[in-house]
Amino acid sequence: MRSNMARAIRVSLASVPLLVATTAQAATPDIYGTLEPFASEAVYFVVTDRFVNGDTSNDQREQGGADPARRTFDRRIPGPNGESDNIGYLGGDFKGVLDNAGYIRGMGFTSVWVTPIVDQPDEAFTGGKPASWGSFWTDQGKTGYHGYWGVNFYKLDEHLPSPGLDFGGFTKAMQGQGLKVVLDIVGNHGSPSFTMPVDQPKFGEVYDANGALLADHQNLPPDQLDPQHNPLHAFFHTTPEIAELSNFDDTNPAVMDYLAGAYAQWLDQGAAALRIDTIGWMPHAFWKEFARRMRERRPGLFMFGENFDYHPDKIAPHTWAENGGISVLDFPLKERMGEVFGRGKDGKQAGYERLEGRLYLRGGPYANPYDLMTFYDNHDMPRLDASDAGFIDAHNWLFTARGIPVVYYGSEVGFMRGRAEHAGNRNYFGQERVDGAAGNPIHDSLARIAKVRAASPALQRGVQLDVLMKGDRAAFYRVYQHDGVAQTALVLLNKGDAPAAFEVKRWLQAGQWRAALGGGEIAVGEKGRLDATVPAHGVEVYLLDAPVTRADLLRESSKSMAAGRGR
């Protein structure tokens, strides 16, 4: 029965049918990088307010009143040469995402990560340092359009839903379009809480599920809070956090109860996975207990955190079982991807060898490197500064190498490349750009390679064996053999400006290798070789749908599988 089901698995890619081989379980050993179900996903990340305005009736354009310092909609920051950034709301909502589910799915993505959905303050912040073009951690004049300034974690922010489309309706409708929803959550902070000339409503406040005031910073700096004598201060630490944000007290059981209760509610409404903001700002013990509660509610729940640090030893402990077993965004690999695929210093890029050391395929610090979320930029850093070819090369890598790929909205057309926060990074994308994306070389190349990954269990979960990582060329295997399914992928990458020849002998198993992108097959004999030419800024993936029979391939794959788990 199992074999018959597996034989029936077929997908269509560039008119070439892909058939994953089945094996007799008793005759073949397991080989895989991960069995995590979420590893099959490819994630498209949107700052919801900045994607598409699907429903203008929820824009709240008069919110904040007549005072220009407090209004919340369309707050422009002027930049050079007529450019601008915006720190107000711009209208993106659930309907804008749902209306374009086909666009996202059509690029080969299977999940959409949305920014936090909880209720935000209803005015622009008047404290802190003024936000200006290119500034960082400056919040004066800024609004909660991004969702990270929660005041009631049980309540949906009014800018997002439409009639008949609350969060539960959104997740259900997205599932109907073949897309899971990854929910961004915050645990360590609330909204800006002090330095306001006059205390503003909601800022520094936390409300419970019934809308009752639970905590209030009262516009006091952290060192003036009195949690021992003022119950409204008990939710907060008395030490500062990022900028003027309130700093939740992880040692207070009420904080855990509040956050776990709120996020359990959103899980019940259909969130498929959780992305945890600023996970490194709270201790491992907090997240271990949080993870326990979430997985008690949703067994097997996949979570990944953001710890903005390029040192693997700093972010890897989050992934260990004793700390909750929470995956992380792969910042160390991201750092190297900028060197390899970006414009580089003096226009020179680093070679693929710079990526190899950050994969940690054997003996690394992570619980499992194959479960890491791989990316090259996001909303908290400058976007990748690359040519069209650089984006194409980055995607070819991202969707074939180990890890679970994440692509930030607009990157499929090189939107606002190189731009930092407050310098255009989070600018409004809009329906016009969505409609015009097809035909863009970045978009079309991304869709091709993402669909290859979506059809290949080897690319999703296979152990990685590097054959070549040097200069503009990379060659590696992804080997998967588990539960009656066997597939080996041979990936050839060329990021050079001219076609590149590959001659692969090492670990190459005899059989019929199918070219997933170019079409056709190559017959490889015993101790044979595979010769191929990959076009400039191109990729080819050869697939062998058969059990591993070559002794050295089996041996090296098994070694890498055993050595890939750090804890």
Side-chain angles (χ1 to χ4, degrees):
M1 180 68 174
R2 181 67 178 179
S3 294
N4 290 338
M5 290 176 63
R7 288 192 186 97
I9 297 173
R10 286 178 171 85
V11 296
S12 175
L13 173 68
S15 301
V16 179
L18 300 181
L19 175 62
V20 177
T22 63
T23 68
Q25 286 180 259
T28 56
D30 276 352
I31 302 171
Y32 53 82
T34 180
L35 295 179
E36 166 57 52
F38 199 80
S40 65
E41 303 297 316
V43 182
Y44 188 72
F45 169 38
V46 298
V47 175
T48 310
D49 178 74
R50 300 309 171 87
F51 186 55
V52 171
N53 188 348
D55 178 6
T56 58
S57 71
N58 62 15
D59 287 356
Q60 319 294 334
R61 296 193 178 208
E62 304 304 317
Q63 190 177 70
D67 184 351
R70 299 192 181 205
R71 63 177 173 79
T72 63
F73 192 82
D74 192 11
R75 300 182 60 83
R76 291 174 180 260
I77 293 178
N81 304 315
E83 297 182 82
S84 66
D85 187 70
N86 206 299
I87 53 176
Y89 287 89
L90 292 177
D93 45 36
F94 290 159
K95 191 172 186 300
V97 178
L98 179 59
D99 285 350
N100 291 287
Y103 166 76
I104 297 169
R105 193 72 181 91
M107 286 188 286
F109 293 99
T110 56
S111 291
V112 177
W113 156 14
V114 296
T115 40
I117 62 172
V118 302
D119 192 37
Q120 305 287 299
D122 297 335
E123 298 179 350
F125 183 53
T126 59
K129 298 176 182 178
S132 59
W133 179 265
S135 63
F136 190 67
W137 282 0
T138 53
D139 288 338
Q140 186 181 122
K142 200 170 183 177
T143 65
Y145 73 87
H146 42 71
Y148 296 98
W149 289 357
V151 294
N152 189 334
F153 290 64
Y154 287 85
K155 182 181 178 183
L156 184 63
D157 189 81
E158 65 275 9
H159 295 85
L160 299 174
S162 298
L165 195 67
D166 59 7
F167 184 66
F170 173 62
T171 61
K172 184 177 181 180
M174 291 289 280
Q175 289 167 10
Q177 296 290 323
L179 291 166
K180 297 176 181 176
V181 175
V182 178
L183 179 61
D184 204 330
I185 66 170
V186 182
N188 71 308
H189 70 259
S191 59
S193 300
F194 58 101
T195 69
M196 294 166 278
V198 177
D199 196 8
Q200 296 177 257
K202 289 192 175 182
F203 283 98
E205 299 171 2
V206 179
Y207 293 83
D208 69 13
N210 297 316
L213 183 64
L214 182 67
D216 189 352
H217 224 276
Q218 298 178 323
N219 202 21
L220 296 171
D223 60 0
Q224 292 184 23
L225 295 175
D226 187 8
Q228 298 299 319
H229 301 97
N230 188 337
L232 291 177
H233 296 175
F235 221 70
F236 310 115
H237 279 299
T238 57
T239 52
E241 225 264 5
I242 302 169
E244 291 78 36
L245 298 177
S246 61
N247 186 2
F248 289 169
D249 184 357
D250 56 279
T251 68
N252 182 348
V255 172
M256 173 63 72
D257 292 343
Y258 178 82
L259 294 172
Y263 293 132
Q265 168 187 287
W266 303 120
L267 282 181
D268 291 346
Q269 293 186 29
L274 300 179
R275 180 265 188 184
I276 302 173
D277 186 61
T278 51
I279 191 172
W281 289 74
M282 298 180 90
H284 294 303
F286 181 91
W287 294 118
K288 181 179 181 179
E289 173 61 15
F290 179 83
R292 184 194 67 77
R293 295 193 190 192
M294 293 300 99
R295 290 178 179 137
E296 185 177 71
R297 191 79 164 217
R298 175 80 64 76
L301 176 68
F302 185 79
M303 294 177 277
F304 62 97
E306 174 238 7
N307 188 344
F308 198 139
D309 198 307
Y310 294 131
H311 297 87
D313 291 339
K314 297 289 184 63
I315 70 172
H318 298 293
T319 70
W320 301 347
E322 60 262 40
N323 294 329
I326 299 169
S327 186
V328 289
L329 288 154
D330 193 350
F331 279 88
L333 183 61
K334 176 269 162 201
E335 181 183 36
R336 295 287 174 85
M337 287 185 70
E339 298 175 16
V340 173
F341 303 118
R343 298 185 195 275
K345 296 179 180 178
D346 302 321
K348 295 180 180 180
Q349 292 180 335
Y352 276 110
E353 61 272 15
R354 288 291 287 166
L355 298 176
E356 189 171 19
R358 290 288 173 93
L359 293 174
Y360 298 101
L361 300 178
R362 295 191 182 190
Y366 302 104
N368 190 339
Y370 293 88
D371 294 341
L372 301 182
M373 307 300 292
T374 51
F375 71 110
Y376 52 76
D377 66 14
N378 63 27
H379 58 322
D380 287 330
M381 60 183 64
R383 286 179 177 257
L384 179 67
D385 187 11
S387 64
D388 285 4
F391 277 100
I392 291 169
D393 294 333
H395 294 147
N396 288 341
W397 167 267
L398 203 63
F399 283 82
T400 56
R402 71 101 177 108
I404 305 169
V406 181
V407 175
Y408 185 34
Y409 82 96
S411 297
E412 66 270 24
V413 294
F415 180 61
M416 303 309 294
R417 66 189 81 194
R419 298 307 182 86
E421 183 188 2
H422 298 161
N425 173 294
R426 304 178 186 178
N427 276 6
Y428 182 72
F429 195 55
Q431 193 63 51
E432 185 176 348
R433 289 189 178 90
V434 170
D435 294 342
N440 181 286
I442 304 174
H443 170 275
D444 293 356
S445 296
L446 166 62
R448 283 194 293 271
I449 193 59
K451 290 173 183 177
V452 173
R453 185 184 189 276
S456 170
L459 293 182
Q460 295 167 14
R461 296 189 177 93
V463 72
Q464 181 167 332
L465 295 178
D466 293 339
V467 177
L468 171 70
M469 291 275 186
K470 189 173 182 180
D472 291 338
R473 296 188 305 153
F476 52 86
Y477 293 97
R478 301 291 304 276
V479 185
Y480 181 82
Q481 188 164 275
H482 175 71
D483 200 18
V485 178
Q487 185 180 79
T488 299
L490 172 61
V491 178
L492 306 178
L493 297 169
N494 172 25
K495 71 184 189 76
D497 294 331
F502 289 81
E503 178 186 288
V504 179
K505 297 179 180 178
R506 191 180 189 191
W507 304 320
L508 185 66
Q509 181 170 309
Q512 294 292 122
W513 290 79
R514 297 180 294 103
L517 287 155
E521 294 187 350
I522 295 179
V524 175
E526 295 294 335
K527 297 185 179 179
R529 73 184 193 192
L530 188 150
D531 294 308
T533 298
V534 178
H537 304 288
V539 56
E540 188 54 273
V541 179
Y542 290 95
L543 298 170
L544 178 65
D545 299 315
V548 178
T549 57
R550 178 164 169 152
D552 57 353
L553 177 61
L554 181 61
R555 181 175 61 250
E556 290 303 314
S557 298
S558 298
K559 282 183 180 179
S560 286
M561 175 180 165
R565 291 155 183 77
R567 302 279 291 210

